[in-house]
Amino acid sequence: MRNACMTAHRAAGMVCMLVSMVTATEPNYVETTVFQDENQTETKKIITREYSDGLGRSIQTQTRLNTAPSTTCLISATLYD
């Protein structure tokens, strides 16, 4: 594919981009980190990861509460008809 892309780029003067395909086992997600103290230490933070399907709909939310010495995970799933 790369050789064909480079040939088309040279021949037509077009910009050709290589796009990596994401498999169904690797959904897209947005990760948000909220620190609970002023120093932004790793011991007190909340990490939220929201996974979405190919249409941009939320399919799962994971929330990790890192408070030393333990970590708590909350997972919620969303099903669509």
Side-chain angles (χ1 to χ4, degrees), residues 11-53:
M14 298 169 48
V15 176
C16 192
M17 295 173 38
L18 297 176
V19 178
S20 63
M21 299 297 290
V22 177
T23 62
T25 59
E26 300 177 19
N28 296 325
Y29 66 89
V30 175
E31 184 173 284
T32 306
T33 303
V34 178
F35 293 94
Q36 295 181 322
D37 61 353
E38 296 174 1
N39 300 329
Q40 296 185 355
T41 61
E42 295 293 316
T43 57
K44 293 184 179 181
K45 64 181 176 180
I46 300 172
I47 301 171
T48 303
R49 224 181 237 189
E50 184 174 356
Y51 292 89
S52 60
D53 64 3

